[in-house]
Amino acid sequence: MRIKPLGERILIKPLKEEPKSAGGIVLPENAKEKPQRAEVIEVGTGDDINVKIGDVVIFAKYSGNEIKVDDEDYILIDWNDVLAKVEK
């Protein structure tokens, strides 16, 4: 199934975070923070959208709507909720 966002929305897939803290402590599932980095999967039709498919972005912590498609977790967010683009 393919999801095509409308307007100034983008479909992102959260990136898995390391299960350890910076000090090397293994964190239990309930202590982990919600990921804020994601890969752009699909881009809406808005003119002002400044990312493309495959980009990695940092987005606002509690933004968007979580959806599940073919057993994969995605988030559909407004373009305004993108805080930064990660450049390599």
Side-chain angles (χ1 to χ4, degrees):
M1 178 189 301
R2 184 168 177 222
I3 305 289
K4 180 67 176 172
L6 300 175
E8 294 199 358
R9 292 183 183 86
I10 61 174
L11 183 68
I12 57 175
K13 182 174 183 177
L15 297 175
K16 304 292 182 198
E17 301 292 331
E18 286 292 320
K20 293 182 182 180
S21 70
I25 298 171
V26 176
L27 299 173
E29 191 66 34
N30 61 352
K32 295 179 189 174
E33 288 193 27
K34 185 175 178 180
Q36 287 182 266
R37 289 176 13 131
E39 179 183 358
V40 176
I41 302 300
E42 195 66 53
V43 178
T45 57
D47 294 334
D48 295 334
I49 297 177
N50 199 5
V51 295
K52 62 185 182 306
I53 295 171
D55 284 347
V56 175
V57 296
I58 298 173
F59 61 98
K61 196 169 204 166
Y62 296 105
S63 62
N65 295 305
E66 296 178 2
I67 58 175
K68 185 171 248 174
V69 177
D70 299 330
D71 292 329
E72 294 285 336
D73 293 323
Y74 298 98
I75 303 174
L76 188 61
I77 65 171
D78 287 328
W79 161 242
N80 294 332
D81 290 332
V82 174
L83 305 174
K85 184 164 64 169
V86 177
E87 294 182 352
K88 297 174 184 166

